[in-house]
Short mmCIF file of all heavy atoms in Angstrom, two decimals:
data_model
loop_
_atom_site.label_atom_id
_atom_site.label_comp_id
_atom_site.label_asym_id
_atom_site.label_seq_id
_atom_site.Cartn_x
_atom_site.Cartn_y
_atom_site.Cartn_z
N ARG A 63 16.95 72.76 39.54
CA ARG A 63 17.02 74.15 39.09
C ARG A 63 15.76 74.55 38.33
O ARG A 63 15.33 75.70 38.41
CB ARG A 63 18.25 74.36 38.22
CG ARG A 63 19.53 74.39 39.01
CD ARG A 63 20.70 74.67 38.12
NE ARG A 63 21.93 74.64 38.87
CZ ARG A 63 23.08 75.04 38.38
NH1 ARG A 63 23.17 75.49 37.15
NH2 ARG A 63 24.17 74.99 39.13
N THR A 64 15.16 73.63 37.62
CA THR A 64 13.88 73.90 36.96
C THR A 64 12.81 74.21 37.98
O THR A 64 12.01 75.14 37.82
CB THR A 64 13.46 72.71 36.06
OG1 THR A 64 14.48 72.50 35.09
CG2 THR A 64 12.13 72.97 35.38
N MET A 65 12.78 73.45 39.08
CA MET A 65 11.83 73.72 40.17
C MET A 65 12.10 75.09 40.78
O MET A 65 11.16 75.85 41.05
CB MET A 65 11.93 72.65 41.26
CG MET A 65 11.30 71.36 40.90
SD MET A 65 11.43 70.24 42.31
CE MET A 65 10.76 68.77 41.56
N LEU A 66 13.36 75.40 41.04
CA LEU A 66 13.70 76.71 41.61
C LEU A 66 13.26 77.84 40.67
O LEU A 66 12.73 78.85 41.12
CB LEU A 66 15.20 76.83 41.86
CG LEU A 66 15.75 76.22 43.12
CD1 LEU A 66 17.26 76.47 43.21
CD2 LEU A 66 15.07 76.74 44.35
N GLY A 67 13.49 77.65 39.39
CA GLY A 67 13.08 78.66 38.42
C GLY A 67 11.58 78.87 38.41
O GLY A 67 11.09 79.99 38.25
N ALA A 68 10.82 77.78 38.58
CA ALA A 68 9.36 77.88 38.63
C ALA A 68 8.90 78.59 39.89
O ALA A 68 7.90 79.32 39.88
CB ALA A 68 8.74 76.50 38.53
N LEU A 69 9.60 78.40 40.99
CA LEU A 69 9.26 79.03 42.27
C LEU A 69 9.69 80.49 42.35
O LEU A 69 9.08 81.29 43.04
CB LEU A 69 9.95 78.31 43.42
CG LEU A 69 9.37 77.03 43.93
CD1 LEU A 69 10.33 76.39 44.91
CD2 LEU A 69 8.04 77.30 44.60
N ALA A 70 10.75 80.82 41.67
CA ALA A 70 11.42 82.11 41.83
C ALA A 70 10.59 83.27 41.29
O ALA A 70 9.91 83.14 40.28
CB ALA A 70 12.77 82.08 41.14
N LEU A 71 10.68 84.39 41.99
CA LEU A 71 10.13 85.63 41.46
C LEU A 71 10.97 86.07 40.26
O LEU A 71 10.47 86.69 39.33
CB LEU A 71 10.14 86.71 42.53
CG LEU A 71 9.26 86.47 43.75
CD1 LEU A 71 9.49 87.54 44.79
CD2 LEU A 71 7.80 86.41 43.35
N ALA A 72 12.26 85.76 40.31
CA ALA A 72 13.19 86.06 39.22
C ALA A 72 14.40 85.15 39.37
O ALA A 72 14.74 84.74 40.47
CB ALA A 72 13.62 87.52 39.25
N HIS A 73 15.03 84.83 38.25
CA HIS A 73 16.27 84.07 38.31
C HIS A 73 17.13 84.42 37.10
O HIS A 73 16.63 84.88 36.09
CB HIS A 73 16.03 82.56 38.42
CG HIS A 73 15.53 81.93 37.18
ND1 HIS A 73 14.22 81.98 36.77
CD2 HIS A 73 16.18 81.20 36.23
CE1 HIS A 73 14.07 81.32 35.65
NE2 HIS A 73 15.24 80.84 35.29
N ALA A 74 18.43 84.24 37.27
CA ALA A 74 19.39 84.50 36.21
C ALA A 74 20.38 83.35 36.17
O ALA A 74 21.04 83.08 37.17
CB ALA A 74 20.12 85.81 36.46
N PRO A 75 20.45 82.64 35.05
CA PRO A 75 21.39 81.52 34.98
C PRO A 75 22.85 81.96 35.02
O PRO A 75 23.69 81.24 35.52
CB PRO A 75 21.05 80.84 33.67
CG PRO A 75 20.29 81.84 32.88
CD PRO A 75 19.67 82.81 33.83
N LEU A 76 23.15 83.14 34.50
CA LEU A 76 24.52 83.67 34.51
C LEU A 76 24.46 85.17 34.76
O LEU A 76 23.46 85.82 34.44
CB LEU A 76 25.22 83.43 33.17
CG LEU A 76 25.41 81.98 32.74
CD1 LEU A 76 25.92 81.93 31.32
CD2 LEU A 76 26.38 81.28 33.67
N ALA A 77 25.53 85.71 35.28
CA ALA A 77 25.56 87.16 35.56
C ALA A 77 25.65 87.95 34.27
O ALA A 77 24.92 88.90 34.05
CB ALA A 77 26.73 87.50 36.47
N ALA A 78 26.55 87.58 33.40
CA ALA A 78 26.76 88.33 32.17
C ALA A 78 27.40 87.43 31.14
O ALA A 78 28.21 86.57 31.47
CB ALA A 78 27.66 89.53 32.43
N ALA A 79 27.04 87.62 29.90
CA ALA A 79 27.62 86.79 28.85
C ALA A 79 29.09 87.15 28.64
O ALA A 79 29.90 86.29 28.36
CB ALA A 79 26.84 86.99 27.55
N ALA A 80 29.42 88.40 28.77
CA ALA A 80 30.81 88.83 28.61
C ALA A 80 31.21 89.66 29.81
O ALA A 80 30.60 90.69 30.08
CB ALA A 80 30.96 89.64 27.33
N SER A 81 32.20 89.22 30.50
CA SER A 81 32.67 89.96 31.67
C SER A 81 34.17 89.75 31.79
O SER A 81 34.69 88.71 31.43
CB SER A 81 31.97 89.46 32.93
OG SER A 81 32.51 90.08 34.05
N ASP A 82 34.85 90.75 32.31
CA ASP A 82 36.30 90.64 32.43
C ASP A 82 36.76 90.70 33.88
O ASP A 82 37.91 90.95 34.16
CB ASP A 82 36.98 91.73 31.61
CG ASP A 82 36.59 93.12 32.07
OD1 ASP A 82 35.70 93.23 32.94
OD2 ASP A 82 37.16 94.08 31.54
N GLY A 83 35.87 90.48 34.82
CA GLY A 83 36.28 90.53 36.21
C GLY A 83 35.12 90.24 37.14
O GLY A 83 34.10 89.70 36.73
N ALA A 84 35.28 90.61 38.38
CA ALA A 84 34.24 90.37 39.38
C ALA A 84 33.02 91.24 39.10
O ALA A 84 33.13 92.38 38.69
CB ALA A 84 34.78 90.65 40.78
N ILE A 85 31.87 90.66 39.31
CA ILE A 85 30.60 91.35 39.12
C ILE A 85 30.21 92.00 40.44
O ILE A 85 30.17 91.34 41.47
CB ILE A 85 29.51 90.35 38.68
CG1 ILE A 85 29.90 89.62 37.41
CG2 ILE A 85 28.17 91.04 38.53
CD1 ILE A 85 30.02 90.47 36.20
N LEU A 86 29.91 93.29 40.42
CA LEU A 86 29.44 93.96 41.61
C LEU A 86 27.99 94.43 41.46
O LEU A 86 27.37 94.83 42.43
CB LEU A 86 30.33 95.16 41.96
CG LEU A 86 31.76 94.81 42.33
CD1 LEU A 86 32.58 96.06 42.60
CD2 LEU A 86 31.79 93.90 43.54
N ARG A 87 27.46 94.37 40.24
CA ARG A 87 26.09 94.79 39.98
C ARG A 87 25.53 93.90 38.87
O ARG A 87 26.22 93.63 37.90
CB ARG A 87 26.08 96.24 39.53
CG ARG A 87 24.71 96.78 39.28
CD ARG A 87 24.75 98.23 38.91
NE ARG A 87 25.31 98.98 40.04
CZ ARG A 87 25.88 100.16 39.92
NH1 ARG A 87 26.00 100.72 38.77
NH2 ARG A 87 26.36 100.78 40.99
N ARG A 88 24.28 93.48 39.05
CA ARG A 88 23.64 92.66 38.02
C ARG A 88 22.14 92.79 38.11
O ARG A 88 21.59 93.18 39.14
CB ARG A 88 24.07 91.20 38.15
CG ARG A 88 23.53 90.53 39.38
CD ARG A 88 24.18 89.24 39.75
NE ARG A 88 24.09 88.20 38.78
CZ ARG A 88 24.57 86.98 38.94
NH1 ARG A 88 25.16 86.65 40.07
NH2 ARG A 88 24.46 86.09 38.03
N ARG A 89 21.47 92.48 37.01
CA ARG A 89 20.01 92.44 36.96
C ARG A 89 19.58 90.99 37.06
O ARG A 89 20.12 90.12 36.41
CB ARG A 89 19.48 92.99 35.63
CG ARG A 89 19.70 94.43 35.39
CD ARG A 89 18.90 95.38 36.20
NE ARG A 89 17.47 95.31 36.01
CZ ARG A 89 16.63 95.94 36.80
NH1 ARG A 89 17.08 96.65 37.80
NH2 ARG A 89 15.35 95.87 36.60
N VAL A 90 18.56 90.77 37.87
CA VAL A 90 17.93 89.46 37.99
C VAL A 90 16.44 89.71 37.81
O VAL A 90 15.76 90.11 38.75
CB VAL A 90 18.24 88.79 39.35
CG1 VAL A 90 17.56 87.43 39.44
CG2 VAL A 90 19.73 88.66 39.57
N GLY A 91 15.98 89.53 36.59
CA GLY A 91 14.59 89.84 36.28
C GLY A 91 14.32 91.31 36.53
O GLY A 91 15.02 92.19 36.03
N ALA A 92 13.29 91.61 37.33
CA ALA A 92 12.91 92.99 37.64
C ALA A 92 13.68 93.54 38.85
O ALA A 92 13.34 94.59 39.36
CB ALA A 92 11.41 93.06 37.91
N TYR A 93 14.71 92.85 39.28
CA TYR A 93 15.44 93.24 40.49
C TYR A 93 16.88 93.61 40.16
O TYR A 93 17.51 93.01 39.28
CB TYR A 93 15.43 92.10 41.51
CG TYR A 93 14.03 91.70 41.89
CD1 TYR A 93 13.39 90.66 41.22
CD2 TYR A 93 13.34 92.38 42.88
CE1 TYR A 93 12.09 90.30 41.54
CE2 TYR A 93 12.05 92.02 43.20
CZ TYR A 93 11.43 90.99 42.53
OH TYR A 93 10.15 90.65 42.85
N ALA A 94 17.39 94.61 40.86
CA ALA A 94 18.79 95.01 40.75
C ALA A 94 19.51 94.51 41.99
O ALA A 94 19.09 94.78 43.11
CB ALA A 94 18.89 96.52 40.64
N LEU A 95 20.57 93.79 41.76
CA LEU A 95 21.36 93.21 42.85
C LEU A 95 22.74 93.89 42.80
O LEU A 95 23.37 93.92 41.75
CB LEU A 95 21.48 91.71 42.61
CG LEU A 95 22.07 90.86 43.69
CD1 LEU A 95 21.34 89.52 43.68
CD2 LEU A 95 23.53 90.63 43.45
N GLU A 96 23.18 94.44 43.93
CA GLU A 96 24.44 95.17 43.97
C GLU A 96 25.21 94.83 45.24
O GLU A 96 24.62 94.68 46.31
CB GLU A 96 24.15 96.67 43.92
CG GLU A 96 25.36 97.53 43.81
CD GLU A 96 25.02 99.00 43.63
OE1 GLU A 96 23.82 99.37 43.70
OE2 GLU A 96 25.94 99.79 43.42
N ILE A 97 26.53 94.71 45.11
CA ILE A 97 27.40 94.49 46.26
C ILE A 97 28.14 95.80 46.50
O ILE A 97 28.88 96.27 45.64
CB ILE A 97 28.37 93.32 46.03
CG1 ILE A 97 27.59 92.03 45.83
CG2 ILE A 97 29.35 93.21 47.19
CD1 ILE A 97 28.43 90.84 45.47
N LEU A 98 27.91 96.37 47.68
CA LEU A 98 28.56 97.62 48.05
C LEU A 98 29.72 97.33 49.00
O LEU A 98 29.53 96.74 50.05
CB LEU A 98 27.57 98.57 48.74
CG LEU A 98 26.33 98.94 47.94
CD1 LEU A 98 25.38 99.77 48.79
CD2 LEU A 98 26.71 99.69 46.68
#
Side-chain angles (χ1 to χ4, degrees):
R63 286 183 182 190
T64 301
M65 284 183 185
L66 278 181
L69 280 171
L71 295 173
H73 72 281
L76 298 172
S81 175
D82 60 354
I85 303 295
L86 296 178
R87 182 177 298 157
R88 69 195 300 182
R89 293 289 298 170
V90 180
Y93 302 94
L95 189 145
E96 186 174 6
I97 298 175
L98 302 175

